[in-house]
Amino acid sequence: MNYLLRKLGILVLTLWIAATLNFILPRLVPGDPVGAMMARYQGQLSPAAADALRLAYGLNDQGNIFMQYVHYLGNLLRGDFGRSMSQFPTPVIDVVTQAAPWTIGLIGVTTVISFLLGSGLGLYSAWKRGHPLADWMPPVALFLNSVPYFWLGLVLLYLFALKSSVFPLSGNLDPFIGDAWTAKWWSSMLRHAALPAVTIIVTAAGGWLMTMRNNVMGVMGEDYLAFARAKGLSEGRIVNRYVLKNALLPSLTGFGMALGFVVGGSILVETVFSYPGLGFYLYSAVAAVDYPLMQAIFLLIAAAVLIANFIVDMLYAVLDPRVRDGQE
């Protein structure tokens, strides 16, 4: 219980620190967001309208940063993220709720697939050392893991969208697709998600492969494996009961971090493919100096990462009681 309360206290403290940094960092970006909005409308907004916008966004008193901070925390506790400046007058919460399912669906699914695929191949590569296929896996994985997301995405777009038109160039759905969840809708959605998904899986699986391979190599040198073989246990039982569990534990932290960052999406991938997820909107918000949208997405990313790490800590305590016992 003390371990759980301590971890909860750390979670709440880090969430507050993240919210405070989330308030400060966007204000370090050069430029005035209302000025950027006026420039976008090419002088169509009067000075009175600009003053009204500054008042609405809590920027009317630029010198009183403390009052802006108090106003920001109060709105945050009410779940009010304000209105987007780059997509005025759409509320930020509407932009986030519209983009989040696409990011979670694409980045979340591909993160899980790449983790399972890479970890499985890494286990095979380490356990079957000496076999040609197993020995070829590490250099191939290192090469794929070093390939930048955006470069591979551009290559796939050129080959399979621009030259052959097998897949669409951008977006998440065909125009005028009709009702959602129909067979036509699913077909369109999967075609648009195929190239971004392949880009993420191919580049990320290599990293998980190398991580799992190194973990398995470390476990294979432990004395309890020699004892298990001396008892006459089968290779399959040794792998499933001893090797896999102990080699997978160190990967849980990285997997938890990866799941946390799912909320932010893969900014480069979504930007290259013009995929309307949170990463794409975050890039657009930074370019447009859109404080409210930036703050909302930044805070969601930070909260997701912190909560994911908290869940991983709880899983560690369940899977390895030594962690819990050592803290109490």
Side-chain angles (χ1 to χ4, degrees):
M1 181 59 70
N2 291 336
Y3 177 80
L4 175 62
L5 292 176
R6 184 160 44 248
K7 290 297 181 181
L8 278 174
I10 294 174
L11 175 63
V12 172
L13 176 63
T14 50
L15 282 174
W16 172 74
I17 295 174
T20 301
L21 291 176
N22 186 48
F23 170 81
I24 296 173
L25 292 179
R27 283 163 172 76
L28 300 179
V29 177
D32 178 16
V34 175
M37 182 182 293
M38 293 185 67
R40 185 164 59 252
Y41 287 103
Q42 298 180 349
Q44 297 179 17
L45 295 177
S46 65
D51 292 338
L53 286 173
R54 289 190 174 90
L55 178 63
Y57 286 107
L59 301 172
N60 56 310
D61 188 359
Q62 292 289 342
N64 194 350
I65 194 71
F66 177 75
M67 292 307 299
Q68 293 181 29
Y69 176 66
V70 172
H71 182 70
Y72 159 77
L73 288 181
N75 288 339
L76 198 63
L77 292 175
R78 293 193 297 269
D80 180 10
F81 294 101
R83 296 184 180 272
S84 171
M85 293 179 172
S86 58
Q87 302 185 52
F88 187 81
T90 307
V92 169
I93 191 64
D94 290 349
V95 178
V96 170
T97 53
Q98 178 183 353
W102 296 106
T103 288
I104 295 173
L106 174 65
I107 311 298
V109 171
T110 52
T111 298
V112 173
I113 291 175
S114 61
F115 174 76
L116 295 177
L117 178 63
S119 298
L121 293 177
L123 174 63
Y124 173 83
S125 175
W127 194 252
K128 296 293 185 180
R129 279 185 308 164
H131 291 207
L133 179 60
D135 290 341
W136 270 101
M137 284 184 179
V140 173
L142 283 173
F143 170 76
L144 294 177
N145 189 238
S146 64
V147 173
Y149 284 3
F150 67 91
W151 183 85
L152 181 60
L154 290 173
V155 170
L156 293 178
L157 276 176
Y158 178 78
L159 293 177
F160 298 103
L162 184 63
K163 299 295 288 185
S164 61
S165 300
V166 176
F167 296 100
L169 274 169
S170 62
N172 58 335
L173 289 170
D174 293 327
F176 312 110
I177 194 61
D179 295 333
W181 316 115
T182 62
K184 184 179 179 182
W185 184 91
W186 277 104
S187 174
S188 175
M189 186 270 293
L190 292 174
R191 286 178 63 249
H192 282 79
L195 292 184
V198 170
T199 300
I200 296 171
I201 292 173
V202 167
T203 53
W208 293 119
L209 187 153
M210 294 305 302
T211 301
M212 189 63 176
R213 185 177 189 274
N214 293 335
N215 294 342
V216 173
M217 296 286 288
V219 171
M220 288 172 64
E222 297 293 338
D223 293 337
Y224 57 79
L225 285 189
F227 182 72
R229 288 193 177 94
K231 289 175 61 178
L233 298 181
S234 65
E235 291 294 298
R237 187 175 182 185
I238 292 174
V239 170
N240 293 327
R241 185 170 182 179
Y242 297 100
V243 176
L244 184 59
K245 178 182 177 180
N246 290 283
L248 200 58
L249 278 174
S251 296
L252 280 179
T253 300
F255 183 58
M257 290 284 290
L259 285 180
F261 280 110
V262 163
V263 174
S266 182
I267 297 176
L268 290 177
V269 171
E270 291 186 357
T271 302
V272 167
F273 291 95
S274 297
Y275 197 81
L278 290 173
F280 177 79
Y281 282 107
L282 177 58
Y283 172 80
S284 302
V286 172
V289 201
D290 188 343
Y291 281 2
L293 187 54
M294 274 192 289
Q295 289 176 321
I297 298 178
F298 283 152
L299 188 59
L300 285 174
I301 296 172
V305 171
L306 292 172
I307 293 172
N309 276 276
F310 175 77
I311 295 174
V312 168
D313 286 339
M314 296 300 103
L315 288 176
Y316 256 103
V318 173
L319 297 176
D320 190 354
R322 294 173 300 177
V323 175
R324 181 182 65 249
D325 296 340
Q327 296 292 330
E328 294 185 349

